[in-house]
Amino acid sequence: MISVILPTYNEAENIKVIVPAISKVFEQEGLAGEVIIVDDNSPDGTAEVAEGMMDRYPLRVHVRTEDRGLSKAVIKGFELAEGEICVVMDADMSHPVEKLPDMVRPITEEKCDMTVGSRYIPGGGCETWPLPRRIISKGAGFLARGVTPLTDPTSGFMALRKGIIHGADLDPTGWKIVLEVSVKTGARIREVPIVFKDRMEGESKLGFKAQIDYIRHLWSLYCYKYPGLAQFVRFCLVGISGVFADTLVLVAFVSLMSLDPRIAAIFAFAGAVSWNYIFDRLWTFEFGRHTRIPHSYLAFVAICLIGLGIRIGIMHALIEYAEMGRSPWYVVASLIGILAATVFNFIGSKYIAFAAFLKKG
Ligand code: GDD
Ligand code: MN
């Protein structure tokens, strides 16, 4: 059995068209299917219209009265679905109903666990989309490339074997439930070309805020997929702030104590390392604040000194053997050195300085 889940908000006019269209496809293809409308208490009476159609079509209607949200509605639909295959599609006729068999077949034939409609593979496309919307859509897909192989992760049209979402820790805050499912279930996915049509009636509910939410959702998926990533970004931010601390100490020692800048740089380094230690201890690393002082501090300083050695060593090698001594190449050599040292410092801090000296108890 197939459960087609339609999340709705103010789609009273559209469901009069899409529900009959879906049930016609069920009949033509000889598919046992049901339609589940999950409505967020739409003021335009979507639920009443839907309930009035229940005697003629294989339709169930669920009305949610609090906590409106597209992904939440879809997750509710999964709970209610009786089919072993669930399809999620927009209720506004943007997704082609006639593609339902192509979406479902690869799953029933066990070729994959999930199919996703794509506008960006041969045979797919969008009708009458202005250039800015195309660019946003393509850009959104591009940003997701690090977490999913999908060419069109925001198409919103998917079918899946229900078993794959059991036990998956789905976060209902994002709009992009397709992306969420594809990243968190490890499903074998196939793409099906679709032509995206403009909505029939009413207007889109996905505004500018949805785009900001998309970026936040993506970030949470990147962190999910690469568990150390958020930590590494925090470490780099602390490192960048450390450069400012370094410069501040340098200028202070030179101008207040008329020290030679090369001598002052030693104090600047010590100041920056201590600065970094404080923020990595309190912010970057989860267990940082539970480590013993001075042990973790001394380990951190030692790691930074080795890191400095690595930076200079790599610069030396690049200047000596790759002829990067001349301007502007020595800057590149230095940046490569900094990158290598940062990775070294991160690993050393994570696994030694802020891990090996935990306080007792
Ligand atoms: N239950 C419920 N609650 N349904 C909602 C809500 C909500 O808060 N917000 C939107 N929906 C329903 C709509 O009624 C529609 O059936 C579907 O979700 C898509 O919403 P639209 O408002 O039509 O979104 P869109 O056309 O701007 O965006 C669609 O196309 C994008 C691709 O460009 C969606 O499919 C997006 O996921 C997709 O990225
Ligand atoms: Mn739409």
PDB file of all heavy atoms in Angstrom, residues 11 90-95 133 196-200 203-206, ligand 2:
ATOM      1  N   GLU A  11      -4.890  25.444   1.262  1.00  0.00           N
ATOM      2  CA  GLU A  11      -4.893  24.820  -0.062  1.00  0.00           C
ATOM      3  C   GLU A  11      -6.292  24.333  -0.435  1.00  0.00           C
ATOM      4  O   GLU A  11      -6.443  23.360  -1.180  1.00  0.00           O
ATOM      5  CB  GLU A  11      -3.912  23.643  -0.118  1.00  0.00           C
ATOM      6  CG  GLU A  11      -2.476  23.946   0.278  1.00  0.00           C
ATOM      7  CD  GLU A  11      -1.704  24.761  -0.760  1.00  0.00           C
ATOM      8  OE1 GLU A  11      -2.304  25.178  -1.786  1.00  0.00           O
ATOM      9  OE2 GLU A  11      -0.500  24.982  -0.535  1.00  0.00           O
ATOM     10  N   ASP A  90       3.877  18.351  -2.555  1.00  0.00           N
ATOM     11  CA  ASP A  90       3.150  19.592  -2.321  1.00  0.00           C
ATOM     12  C   ASP A  90       1.716  19.414  -2.798  1.00  0.00           C
ATOM     13  O   ASP A  90       1.461  18.705  -3.774  1.00  0.00           O
ATOM     14  CB  ASP A  90       3.799  20.758  -3.084  1.00  0.00           C
ATOM     15  CG  ASP A  90       5.168  21.113  -2.527  1.00  0.00           C
ATOM     16  OD1 ASP A  90       5.565  20.509  -1.511  1.00  0.00           O
ATOM     17  OD2 ASP A  90       5.826  21.994  -3.113  1.00  0.00           O
ATOM     18  N   ALA A  91       0.800  20.129  -2.119  1.00  0.00           N
ATOM     19  CA  ALA A  91      -0.612  19.981  -2.455  1.00  0.00           C
ATOM     20  C   ALA A  91      -1.046  20.955  -3.546  1.00  0.00           C
ATOM     21  O   ALA A  91      -2.201  20.967  -3.940  1.00  0.00           O
ATOM     22  CB  ALA A  91      -1.455  20.197  -1.203  1.00  0.00           C
ATOM     23  N   ASP A  92      -0.125  21.777  -4.028  1.00  0.00           N
ATOM     24  CA  ASP A  92      -0.535  22.864  -4.931  1.00  0.00           C
ATOM     25  C   ASP A  92      -0.344  22.539  -6.415  1.00  0.00           C
ATOM     26  O   ASP A  92      -0.346  23.432  -7.255  1.00  0.00           O
ATOM     27  CB  ASP A  92       0.228  24.146  -4.577  1.00  0.00           C
ATOM     28  CG  ASP A  92       1.727  23.968  -4.669  1.00  0.00           C
ATOM     29  OD1 ASP A  92       2.183  22.875  -5.053  1.00  0.00           O
ATOM     30  OD2 ASP A  92       2.461  24.927  -4.353  1.00  0.00           O
ATOM     31  N   MET A  93      -0.165  21.259  -6.734  1.00  0.00           N
ATOM     32  CA  MET A  93       0.013  20.797  -8.118  1.00  0.00           C
ATOM     33  C   MET A  93       1.365  21.193  -8.719  1.00  0.00           C
ATOM     34  O   MET A  93       1.565  21.098  -9.924  1.00  0.00           O
ATOM     35  CB  MET A  93      -1.124  21.278  -9.044  1.00  0.00           C
ATOM     36  CG  MET A  93      -2.482  20.707  -8.696  1.00  0.00           C
ATOM     37  SD  MET A  93      -2.567  18.898  -8.847  1.00  0.00           S
ATOM     38  CE  MET A  93      -2.805  18.676 -10.591  1.00  0.00           C
ATOM     39  N   SER A  94       2.312  21.607  -7.879  1.00  0.00           N
ATOM     40  CA  SER A  94       3.649  21.920  -8.395  1.00  0.00           C
ATOM     41  C   SER A  94       4.391  20.641  -8.787  1.00  0.00           C
ATOM     42  O   SER A  94       5.187  20.634  -9.714  1.00  0.00           O
ATOM     43  CB  SER A  94       4.473  22.660  -7.342  1.00  0.00           C
ATOM     44  OG  SER A  94       4.066  23.992  -7.261  1.00  0.00           O
ATOM     45  N   HIS A  95       4.178  19.599  -8.006  1.00  0.00           N
ATOM     46  CA  HIS A  95       4.826  18.330  -8.313  1.00  0.00           C
ATOM     47  C   HIS A  95       3.915  17.505  -9.215  1.00  0.00           C
ATOM     48  O   HIS A  95       2.721  17.414  -8.964  1.00  0.00           O
ATOM     49  CB  HIS A  95       5.107  17.550  -7.015  1.00  0.00           C
ATOM     50  CG  HIS A  95       6.072  18.240  -6.099  1.00  0.00           C
ATOM     51  ND1 HIS A  95       5.947  18.227  -4.730  1.00  0.00           N
ATOM     52  CD2 HIS A  95       7.169  18.987  -6.370  1.00  0.00           C
ATOM     53  CE1 HIS A  95       6.947  18.916  -4.188  1.00  0.00           C
ATOM     54  NE2 HIS A  95       7.698  19.397  -5.159  1.00  0.00           N
ATOM     55  N   ARG A 133      14.938  33.162  -9.057  1.00  0.00           N
ATOM     56  CA  ARG A 133      14.485  31.978  -8.331  1.00  0.00           C
ATOM     57  C   ARG A 133      15.298  30.746  -8.738  1.00  0.00           C
ATOM     58  O   ARG A 133      15.596  29.885  -7.908  1.00  0.00           O
ATOM     59  CB  ARG A 133      12.982  31.754  -8.579  1.00  0.00           C
ATOM     60  CG  ARG A 133      12.436  30.728  -7.629  1.00  0.00           C
ATOM     61  CD  ARG A 133      10.940  30.685  -7.502  1.00  0.00           C
ATOM     62  NE  ARG A 133      10.593  29.524  -6.656  1.00  0.00           N
ATOM     63  CZ  ARG A 133       9.400  28.969  -6.573  1.00  0.00           C
ATOM     64  NH1 ARG A 133       8.399  29.473  -7.272  1.00  0.00           N
ATOM     65  NH2 ARG A 133       9.195  27.931  -5.798  1.00  0.00           N
ATOM     66  N   PHE A 196       8.777  20.996 -12.560  1.00  0.00           N
ATOM     67  CA  PHE A 196       8.103  21.694 -11.463  1.00  0.00           C
ATOM     68  C   PHE A 196       7.188  22.763 -12.042  1.00  0.00           C
ATOM     69  O   PHE A 196       7.620  23.627 -12.795  1.00  0.00           O
ATOM     70  CB  PHE A 196       9.182  22.335 -10.582  1.00  0.00           C
ATOM     71  CG  PHE A 196       8.706  22.828  -9.251  1.00  0.00           C
ATOM     72  CD1 PHE A 196       8.857  22.056  -8.110  1.00  0.00           C
ATOM     73  CD2 PHE A 196       8.136  24.098  -9.126  1.00  0.00           C
ATOM     74  CE1 PHE A 196       8.441  22.531  -6.863  1.00  0.00           C
ATOM     75  CE2 PHE A 196       7.726  24.565  -7.888  1.00  0.00           C
ATOM     76  CZ  PHE A 196       7.874  23.792  -6.759  1.00  0.00           C
ATOM     77  N   LYS A 197       5.904  22.688 -11.695  1.00  0.00           N
ATOM     78  CA  LYS A 197       4.949  23.682 -12.231  1.00  0.00           C
ATOM     79  C   LYS A 197       4.671  24.751 -11.185  1.00  0.00           C
ATOM     80  O   LYS A 197       4.788  24.510  -9.988  1.00  0.00           O
ATOM     81  CB  LYS A 197       3.633  22.984 -12.595  1.00  0.00           C
ATOM     82  CG  LYS A 197       3.773  21.991 -13.744  1.00  0.00           C
ATOM     83  CD  LYS A 197       2.437  21.559 -14.298  1.00  0.00           C
ATOM     84  CE  LYS A 197       1.821  20.385 -13.575  1.00  0.00           C
ATOM     85  NZ  LYS A 197       2.364  19.058 -13.806  1.00  0.00           N
ATOM     86  N   ASP A 198       4.272  25.921 -11.646  1.00  0.00           N
ATOM     87  CA  ASP A 198       3.886  26.958 -10.702  1.00  0.00           C
ATOM     88  C   ASP A 198       2.623  26.529  -9.984  1.00  0.00           C
ATOM     89  O   ASP A 198       1.797  25.815 -10.544  1.00  0.00           O
ATOM     90  CB  ASP A 198       3.655  28.283 -11.425  1.00  0.00           C
ATOM     91  CG  ASP A 198       4.972  28.996 -11.679  1.00  0.00           C
ATOM     92  OD1 ASP A 198       5.908  28.764 -10.888  1.00  0.00           O
ATOM     93  OD2 ASP A 198       5.058  29.749 -12.659  1.00  0.00           O
ATOM     94  N   ARG A 199       2.484  26.970  -8.727  1.00  0.00           N
ATOM     95  CA  ARG A 199       1.317  26.549  -7.956  1.00  0.00           C
ATOM     96  C   ARG A 199       0.045  27.000  -8.660  1.00  0.00           C
ATOM     97  O   ARG A 199       0.014  28.028  -9.329  1.00  0.00           O
ATOM     98  CB  ARG A 199       1.383  27.052  -6.524  1.00  0.00           C
ATOM     99  CG  ARG A 199       1.335  28.546  -6.350  1.00  0.00           C
ATOM    100  CD  ARG A 199       0.947  28.977  -4.934  1.00  0.00           C
ATOM    101  NE  ARG A 199       1.525  28.225  -3.856  1.00  0.00           N
ATOM    102  CZ  ARG A 199       0.816  27.477  -3.009  1.00  0.00           C
ATOM    103  NH1 ARG A 199      -0.489  27.390  -3.125  1.00  0.00           N
ATOM    104  NH2 ARG A 199       1.405  26.835  -2.040  1.00  0.00           N
ATOM    105  N   MET A 200      -1.014  26.207  -8.500  1.00  0.00           N
ATOM    106  CA  MET A 200      -2.254  26.529  -9.187  1.00  0.00           C
ATOM    107  C   MET A 200      -2.942  27.719  -8.539  1.00  0.00           C
ATOM    108  O   MET A 200      -3.105  28.762  -9.133  1.00  0.00           O
ATOM    109  CB  MET A 200      -3.182  25.309  -9.135  1.00  0.00           C
ATOM    110  CG  MET A 200      -3.443  24.711 -10.492  1.00  0.00           C
ATOM    111  SD  MET A 200      -4.388  23.204 -10.337  1.00  0.00           S
ATOM    112  CE  MET A 200      -5.611  23.629  -9.127  1.00  0.00           C
ATOM    113  N   GLU A 203      -0.952  31.257  -2.576  1.00  0.00           N
ATOM    114  CA  GLU A 203       0.436  31.718  -2.662  1.00  0.00           C
ATOM    115  C   GLU A 203       1.377  30.856  -1.833  1.00  0.00           C
ATOM    116  O   GLU A 203       0.948  30.103  -0.954  1.00  0.00           O
ATOM    117  CB  GLU A 203       0.515  33.179  -2.238  1.00  0.00           C
ATOM    118  CG  GLU A 203      -0.045  33.438  -0.853  1.00  0.00           C
ATOM    119  CD  GLU A 203      -0.118  34.924  -0.554  1.00  0.00           C
ATOM    120  OE1 GLU A 203      -0.474  35.691  -1.471  1.00  0.00           O
ATOM    121  OE2 GLU A 203       0.189  35.302   0.594  1.00  0.00           O
ATOM    122  N   SER A 204       2.664  31.007  -2.132  1.00  0.00           N
ATOM    123  CA  SER A 204       3.684  30.233  -1.431  1.00  0.00           C
ATOM    124  C   SER A 204       3.772  30.672   0.030  1.00  0.00           C
ATOM    125  O   SER A 204       3.596  31.834   0.346  1.00  0.00           O
ATOM    126  CB  SER A 204       5.028  30.448  -2.116  1.00  0.00           C
ATOM    127  OG  SER A 204       6.059  30.036  -1.251  1.00  0.00           O
ATOM    128  N   LYS A 205       4.060  29.709   0.907  1.00  0.00           N
ATOM    129  CA  LYS A 205       4.239  30.043   2.332  1.00  0.00           C
ATOM    130  C   LYS A 205       5.712  30.144   2.683  1.00  0.00           C
ATOM    131  O   LYS A 205       6.065  30.413   3.826  1.00  0.00           O
ATOM    132  CB  LYS A 205       3.586  28.982   3.222  1.00  0.00           C
ATOM    133  CG  LYS A 205       2.090  29.042   3.260  1.00  0.00           C
ATOM    134  CD  LYS A 205       1.482  28.002   2.350  1.00  0.00           C
ATOM    135  CE  LYS A 205       0.197  28.558   1.753  1.00  0.00           C
ATOM    136  NZ  LYS A 205      -0.297  27.662   0.695  1.00  0.00           N
ATOM    137  N   LEU A 206       6.564  29.854   1.720  1.00  0.00           N
ATOM    138  CA  LEU A 206       7.990  29.844   2.022  1.00  0.00           C
ATOM    139  C   LEU A 206       8.611  31.177   1.620  1.00  0.00           C
ATOM    140  O   LEU A 206       8.851  31.435   0.453  1.00  0.00           O
ATOM    141  CB  LEU A 206       8.671  28.685   1.280  1.00  0.00           C
ATOM    142  CG  LEU A 206       8.639  27.347   2.009  1.00  0.00           C
ATOM    143  CD1 LEU A 206       7.208  26.909   2.274  1.00  0.00           C
ATOM    144  CD2 LEU A 206       9.350  26.285   1.222  1.00  0.00           C
TER     145      LEU A 206
HETATM  146 MN    MN B   2       4.310  25.561  -3.958  1.00  0.00          MN
END
